[in-house]
Amino acid sequence: MRKPKRVLILSGTGEGLKLAARASKLEGLQPIASLAGRTRQSVNCSIPTRIGGFGGVSGLREYLREQQIDLLIDATHPFAAQMSWNAAIAAGQENIPHVMLLRPAWEQTVGDRWVEVQNHEAAAGVLPGLAPRLFLTIGRQELASYAHLSHLWFLMRIVTPPPGDMRLPPGIVLAQRGPFSLAEERSLLRRYDIGAIVTKNSGGDATYPKIMAAREFGLPVVMIQRPSLPQTERIGDIDSALCWLRGYL
Ligand code: NAP
């Protein structure tokens, strides 16, 4: 009998864990999911899962060798650029076939009022003068970039509450995990009298309704562009990732 192929799936998005679950049903394949451990994520107990960093490129190379990984899928969040670069370098050096599962970015459409910026510092720079009450949906790690904006008010929606000692901008924190419906987003914008939204261009359907609600209300959206990612083979959805995996069985 042929040895099953071991595939490491770097996760961090809903797609990564869904892919791992579906890959585990393919005969001849043993998926292992890897999470950074940034949020309280429900882990599917039927899939071997490891949590936490590898220790840079060298730590990842060691892990790939020790665990006899045959294939690597990078299904991390589009803004988890460090992990993606480490994966591309380590897979290249260990000669392991590697692909990125990357959701397409959102694109501006008729009625959208986007202010596109390169990073959080630039986003914070455009906020004074845009609106006094803002909806900040950028995750937890970068909230401190807005903490100096003491004359503005922020509704901060994050998955995991921030630690008590984290510097936050003025406003309130809503700890909630998506997806969110269009009706929920409309009602949130109305309830908190929001004048503009700040978001990363994460892509995908789960958090897109906030962009639709902003369009309906004619609100500006400060859209943080994606970081630079390695130029490796890319696929856009779970079915294509499964097809890529089948090619190695
Ligand atoms: P990052 O800057 O790419 O990663 C920093 C380090 O975290 C990596 O070098 C690696 O540590 C570890 N890491 C990241 N993803 C991992 C995974 N799947 N398995 C094991 N280790 C992992 O990413 P980040 O700091 O987590 O986040 C950067 C941006 O992405 C933020 O805007 C965040 O909101 C967004 N984001 C990230 C995730 C996520 O799961 N990482 C999920 C949603 C959103 P070592 O170098 O020690 O291996």
Side-chain angles (χ1 to χ4, degrees):
M1 214 174 87
R2 274 175 54 193
K3 203 170 137 261
K5 297 268 190 205
R6 288 168 66 74
V7 54
L8 177 65
I9 302 178
L10 301 171
S11 305
T13 57
E15 283 100 332
L17 292 178
K18 277 188 204 139
L19 170 62
R22 286 182 62 189
S24 68
K25 297 198 172 76
L26 290 182
E27 202 166 322
L29 205 64
Q30 277 182 353
I32 302 164
S34 175
L35 296 170
R38 306 259 182 261
T39 60
R40 296 166 302 188
Q41 201 144 15
S42 52
V43 171
N44 180 338
C45 302
S46 64
I47 300 154
T49 303
R50 60 162 306 287
I51 297 178
F54 296 94
V57 172
S58 60
L60 179 56
R61 288 186 66 181
E62 207 176 303
Y63 179 88
L64 295 172
R65 281 197 299 266
E66 268 174 11
Q67 293 294 320
Q68 301 181 23
I69 300 296
D70 300 296
L71 303 165
L72 175 59
I73 297 190
D74 172 5
T76 54
H77 190 271
F79 281 72
Q82 185 62 57
M83 188 69 253
S84 291
W85 280 101
N86 291 358
I89 295 168
Q93 291 177 343
E94 294 297 321
N95 228 351
I96 290 175
H98 157 246
V99 73
M100 277 178 87
L101 169 55
L102 193 64
R103 319 159 171 164
W106 295 320
E107 289 191 10
Q108 195 165 187
T109 184
V110 181
D112 282 335
R113 292 176 58 202
W114 288 10
V115 181
E116 296 185 277
V117 294
Q118 290 306 316
N119 51 41
H120 292 281
E121 289 65 38
V126 301
L127 295 185
L130 204 59
R133 294 174 67 82
L134 299 130
F135 183 22
L136 202 50
T137 59
I138 50 142
R140 181 176 46 134
Q141 284 168 250
E142 293 90 2
L143 288 175
S145 306
Y146 302 84
H148 61 289
L149 297 169
S150 54
H151 55 300
L152 301 178
W153 184 92
F154 293 87
L155 172 65
M156 296 162 261
R157 185 168 67 195
I158 50 181
V159 176
T160 308
D165 58 354
M166 186 183 261
R167 275 186 71 227
L168 295 177
I172 60 163
V173 172
L174 276 188
Q176 290 178 343
R177 180 188 288 280
F180 305 101
S181 69
L182 179 55
E184 286 168 326
E185 300 296 47
R186 280 188 195 122
S187 119
L188 199 70
L189 295 181
R190 278 201 205 100
R191 192 177 328 133
Y192 291 99
D193 192 20
I194 296 297
I197 296 181
V198 186
T199 183
K200 297 184 286 205
N201 194 335
S202 300
D205 298 336
T207 57
Y208 190 66
K210 67 188 170 196
I211 308 296
M212 296 161 74
R215 186 184 306 138
E216 280 184 14
F217 293 168
L219 300 184
V221 174
V222 178
M223 185 64 74
I224 300 164
Q225 301 303 292
R226 292 182 171 190
S228 136
L229 294 170
Q231 289 301 318
T232 47
E233 188 182 347
R234 292 176 186 194
I235 46 183
D237 56 42
I238 295 176
D239 286 333
S240 311
L242 290 167
C243 193
W244 183 84
L245 285 170
R246 280 194 203 95
Y248 288 94
L249 295 179

